Amino acid sequence: MTVLVSISAMVFTILTLIVVLFQLALALGMPWGSYAMGGKFPGKYPPGMRVGAIVQAIVLLAIAAIMLSRSGLFVPSWDGFANKAIWFVVAFSTISTVLNLITRSKWERRIWLPVSLLLLVTSVIVAVG
């Protein structure tokens, strides 16, 4: 893998870990609901959404593992799986970017649209690299 692919995978992973921490904070009751899910749940998330935030954090950690494996930085034995699963990561990043683009929450657009766009770009670099 090239240096660009390795750097892209690391940037993707760092940004994803930030999003994971945000999701865990929502799950623990931080009043940041207006910065997620289109601002539908301002303040603290209700219990069902807190569980959803934990599930999303787990999915994001799995996605980061796929990125790192595809780039050769983590569990190289997953290479066969990661070579296919990377396209799920690209699709996930694309959907995330579109949703952050069309959200009604201006804060979500301002904060998470640039993050999701960078996640999309770095996922494509790793996928084609």
Side-chain angles (χ1 to χ4, degrees), residues 10-90:
M10 287 186 278
V11 167
F12 183 97
T13 301
I14 290 166
L15 289 173
T16 300
L17 290 175
I18 291 168
V19 178
V20 165
L21 291 174
F22 174 75
Q23 291 297 326
L24 292 176
L26 288 171
L28 291 171
M30 291 303 293
W32 299 339
S34 58
Y35 299 101
M37 299 297 292
K40 186 175 179 179
F41 303 98
K44 293 181 181 182
Y45 264 8
M49 290 304 297
R50 289 181 185 197
V51 172
I54 292 170
V55 170
Q56 187 166 350
I58 293 167
V59 169
L60 289 168
L61 289 172
I63 284 173
I66 291 167
M67 284 291 290
L68 290 172
S69 179
R70 170 72 174 118
S71 68
L73 298 172
F74 178 71
V75 192
S77 62
W78 287 5
D79 194 41
F81 167 74
N83 288 341
K84 293 179 181 101
I86 192 66
W87 295 107
F88 167 78
V89 176
V90 171

Side-chain angles (χ1 to χ4, degrees), residues 107-121:
W107 290 110
E108 192 174 358
R109 242 186 344 271
R110 288 180 183 174
I111 295 169
W112 298 119
L113 179 58
V115 171
S116 63
L117 188 57
L118 193 50
L119 291 172
L120 175 58
V121 169

